[in-house]
């Protein structure tokens, strides 16, 4: 098989879920209900063996994680010593006071 360590480190659970959802939809459309009855009558051991056989055929290359590159450090903020902070509320109040009504 693929190995637990390989799957945990290299395979994306997002891509697995997406693949299962898409394949399920297609199978429900394409395969008649009668074809699914064999799975209802299988024993747990037989079902497990079937699932392992199917898992061996999975192409892990198509489900690989996309590693994120290193984050860039944030640039340091430059303090502007010439101009202090003025709140937006004060600026708006000043505008209202300067408006001349005809």
């Amino acid at each position: 098989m693929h190995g637990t360590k390989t799957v945990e480190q290299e395979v994306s659970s997002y891509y697995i879920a997406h693949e299962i959802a898409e394949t399920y939809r297609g199978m429900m459309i394409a395969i008649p209900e009668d074809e699914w009855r064999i799975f209802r009558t299988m024993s747990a051991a037989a079902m497990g063996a079937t699932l392992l056989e199917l898992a061996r055929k999975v192409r892990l290359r198509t489900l690989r994680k996309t590693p994120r590159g290193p984050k860039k450090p944030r640039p340091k903020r430059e303090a502007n010593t010439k101009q202090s902070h003025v709140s937006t509320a004060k600026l708006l109040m000043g505008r209202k006071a300067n408006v001349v009504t005809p």
Side-chain angles (χ1 to χ4, degrees), residues 11-74:
V11 178
S12 166
S13 56
Y14 170 81
Y15 289 139
I16 290 173
H18 186 265
E19 183 70 22
I20 290 170
E22 292 298 313
T23 303
Y24 176 80
R25 285 188 195 115
M27 287 176 21
M28 292 299 109
I29 293 169
I31 301 172
E33 189 176 332
D34 294 343
E35 299 292 325
W36 294 103
R37 290 193 184 165
I38 190 168
F39 296 106
R40 291 183 192 158
T41 59
M42 274 188 180
S43 67
M47 178 67 86
T50 302
L51 292 175
L52 283 173
E53 182 182 332
L54 293 172
R56 285 186 189 99
K57 297 177 182 179
V58 172
R59 292 174 307 200
L60 292 184
R61 283 188 310 242
T62 62
L63 304 173
R64 262 194 234 150
K65 287 182 180 179
T66 306
R68 188 186 190 292
K71 287 187 174 184
K72 295 179 183 176
R74 267 188 152 175

Side-chain angles (χ1 to χ4, degrees), residues 94-102:
R95 273 193 184 171
K96 282 185 181 179
N98 290 337
V99 173
V100 178
T101 55

